[in-house]
Amino acid sequence: VNDAALRLADVPAGARLLAGGDGLLPVVVVRNVYLLPGLPRLFTAKLASLRGELRGRRRTLRHLYLQCDEFAVAATLARVAAESPTVSVGSYPRLDEPGHQVWVTVEGTDPQAVERSLARLLALLPPEYVLRAE
């Protein structure tokens, strides 16, 4: 093993190595980020070893499709997100998508909290902005 090969084994400070028992290199984990190999064969092999690691609470995800500019709803989205810190509210401009301009996601591990946040958004947003909720 030479110095160049050892540099390939560098990992960020505070990272942990997740050995999968598959004889392959370990997955490097930094907080909630998993660094997987880029080769499809190795990537697929590592996924099996991550099943137990990534198993957790099911997440509920709802979608809103809006016909307006993102800046027109940004304050409302921030308000609802602040009201329910266990729910993540994301907005994504979709300029290349016909039919809607902003895709909003409402996500969390508590289905009732997600539904309350979605209902709150629907109550606060002008009805003409909302194309559909899923």
Side-chain angles (χ1 to χ4, degrees), residues 13-89:
R16 64 186 173 94
L17 301 177
L18 182 64
D22 52 17
L24 299 172
L25 297 172
V27 171
V28 177
V29 182
V30 181
R31 286 184 260 171
N32 66 338
V33 176
Y34 293 75
L35 304 171
L36 294 156
L39 297 173
R41 181 180 60 81
L42 297 177
F43 179 89
T44 302
K46 294 313 288 184
L47 286 180
S49 67
L50 290 176
R51 281 197 184 109
E53 175 81 10
L54 297 177
R55 197 166 309 196
R57 298 179 65 186
R58 290 180 90 47
R59 299 189 67 77
T60 298
L61 175 63
R62 296 295 304 269
H63 307 272
L64 277 177
Y65 298 91
L66 307 178
Q67 183 61 45
C68 61
D69 290 323
E70 189 177 25
F71 68 82
V73 295
T76 302
L77 299 179
R79 177 179 174 182
V80 171
E83 290 173 358
S84 187
T86 64
V87 174
S88 297
V89 178

Side-chain angles (χ1 to χ4, degrees), residues 68-70 91-97 100-104:
C68 61
D69 290 323
E70 189 177 25
S91 66
Y92 310 93
R94 304 297 297 215
L95 302 176
D96 60 336
E97 293 284 327
H100 68 278
Q101 289 176 277
V102 180
W103 169 42
V104 175

Side-chain angles (χ1 to χ4, degrees), residues 7 10 51 61-62 76 82 93 101 106 117 132 134:
R7 278 196 300 278
D10 284 346
R51 281 197 184 109
L61 175 63
R62 296 295 304 269
T76 302
Q101 289 176 277
V106 183
S117 293
R132 69 182 188 277
E134 299 175 347

